[in-house]
Amino acid sequence: ARLAHPQSPRVHGDLSVHYMNNGALSSALKHLEILATLDPKARPATQIQTLVAHCMAEKPIPDQVYRDLEQRLALTKGTYLVSSLRTLAEVTAKGRCAQLDVKRFARIFGTWLQSFDRSKLQHKDIQHYWLMNVFFSQLLGTSGRPAQAFPYLDNAVAVQPDRLEPEFIRIRYQLSLGRHEDAKQTLARLKQMDRGQRNDFTATIAEYDNYLAFLDRERSQKAARPRAQ
């Protein structure tokens, strides 16, 4: 069928998602390439979507896809990769991206994120930068690399220090790694930051407070038990 708006990047983006969801890899890649041709600024985002497309189709990801992503990221300081990164993080969290070389992607994308000079971010880019660091940290956590996520959570906190979400991710990862003392420090920050504007945040802080108190009691009771002779 003839497209109503064949020169619309959005149309080709929507079509690529449709084909991805149906595992039609070649058709998804075709529309991603058209999208990138019509809107060159979107090229880095389409490279990430190419990773997603291979994952959704359960096909191996060619080495060249990673090479192209690294080259494209090196040429951009834009922050318009939020949607594609979020999709990759969500697919990974659902266990639908076994094809992804997480170590390689983390090196490529993490190096690029850390290359930003935060002091030079324009106001309109700060939220996108915050989101990219949050989504990337979530991708690292759900792929079994929570310890690698902390620098990116730090990036997010640095540009939007009043947001609680990165600290909730941080305390969850600290607990998963057994870093209970670090988790207590994060909890103390969350208590200071909480203004009671969201009941779910306040309730979650209380749950972490109870859980850490429980861990303290468990350790105290264990330490008080007489050792077997």
Side-chain angles (χ1 to χ4, degrees), residues 51-122:
L51 296 172
V52 176
H54 281 83
C55 290
M56 299 288 280
E58 299 183 349
K59 300 293 185 181
I61 300 173
D63 177 76
Q64 191 61 44
V65 174
Y66 295 101
R67 292 179 181 273
D68 289 346
L69 174 63
E70 190 165 18
Q71 292 174 357
R72 296 296 177 181
L73 287 177
L75 298 174
T76 182
K77 287 297 179 186
T79 56
Y80 32 77
L81 292 89
V82 173
S83 179
S84 58
L85 181 62
R86 178 177 185 172
T87 301
L88 183 61
E90 290 175 345
V91 170
T92 302
K94 293 176 181 177
R96 298 189 61 187
C97 210
Q99 296 78 12
L100 180 67
D101 185 339
V102 178
K103 182 178 180 180
R104 188 172 185 183
F105 177 76
R107 177 186 62 77
I108 293 170
F109 198 83
T111 299
W112 177 72
L113 263 186
Q114 294 293 50
S115 72
F116 275 78
D117 183 344
R118 293 194 298 262
S119 67
K120 294 182 179 179
L121 284 174
Q122 298 182 28

Side-chain angles (χ1 to χ4, degrees), residues 15-227:
L15 284 169
S16 71
V17 171
H18 169 77
Y19 284 116
M20 281 183 214
N21 290 336
N22 286 278
L25 178 60
S26 60
S27 295
L29 296 181
K30 180 185 77 172
H31 286 284
L32 285 172
E33 181 58 33
I34 296 172
L35 166 59
T37 301
L38 293 172
D39 183 7
K41 290 192 302 182
R43 175 71 71 174
T46 63
Q47 292 299 136
I48 295 177
Q49 289 289 69
T50 297
L51 296 172
V52 176
H54 281 83
C55 290
M56 299 288 280
E58 299 183 349
K59 300 293 185 181
I61 300 173
D63 177 76
Q64 191 61 44
V65 174
Y66 295 101
R67 292 179 181 273
D68 289 346
L69 174 63
E70 190 165 18
Q71 292 174 357
R72 296 296 177 181
L73 287 177
L75 298 174
T76 182
K77 287 297 179 186
T79 56
Y80 32 77
L81 292 89
V82 173
S83 179
S84 58
L85 181 62
R86 178 177 185 172
T87 301
L88 183 61
E90 290 175 345
V91 170
T92 302
K94 293 176 181 177
R96 298 189 61 187
C97 210
Q99 296 78 12
L100 180 67
D101 185 339
V102 178
K103 182 178 180 180
R104 188 172 185 183
F105 177 76
R107 177 186 62 77
I108 293 170
F109 198 83
T111 299
W112 177 72
L113 263 186
Q114 294 293 50
S115 72
F116 275 78
D117 183 344
R118 293 194 298 262
S119 67
K120 294 182 179 179
L121 284 174
Q122 298 182 28
H123 180 73
K124 63 182 180 64
D125 292 327
I126 288 176
Q127 174 68 1
H128 287 168
Y129 178 77
W130 184 88
L131 285 168
M132 286 195 300
N133 279 280
V134 168
F135 291 145
F136 186 53
S137 70
Q138 290 176 322
L139 185 151
L140 291 170
T142 57
S143 60
R145 292 169 171 77
Q148 297 178 24
F150 297 124
Y152 306 101
L153 294 172
D154 291 341
N155 288 344
V157 171
V159 295
Q160 291 194 337
D162 294 331
R163 298 286 297 269
L164 275 66
E165 293 92 331
E167 299 297 355
F168 280 122
I169 298 172
R170 188 192 305 277
I171 195 171
R172 188 167 75 247
Y173 291 172
Q174 288 167 336
L175 288 170
S176 73
L177 293 164
R179 299 181 182 179
H180 298 156
E181 294 305 314
D182 291 341
K184 288 181 183 179
Q185 294 178 18
T186 302
L187 178 63
R189 287 196 300 274
L190 281 166
K191 288 180 177 179
Q192 291 177 344
M193 296 167 66
D194 183 34
R195 300 291 184 268
Q197 295 175 331
R198 285 187 53 169
N199 292 336
D200 56 335
F201 281 4
T202 302
T204 302
I205 291 170
E207 289 292 337
Y208 277 123
D209 200 8
N210 291 335
Y211 180 64
L212 284 166
F214 165 78
L215 292 178
D216 282 343
R217 290 194 300 272
E218 286 283 295
R219 284 198 296 270
S220 296
Q221 291 172 4
K222 184 177 181 179
R225 291 173 191 151
R227 295 184 179 181

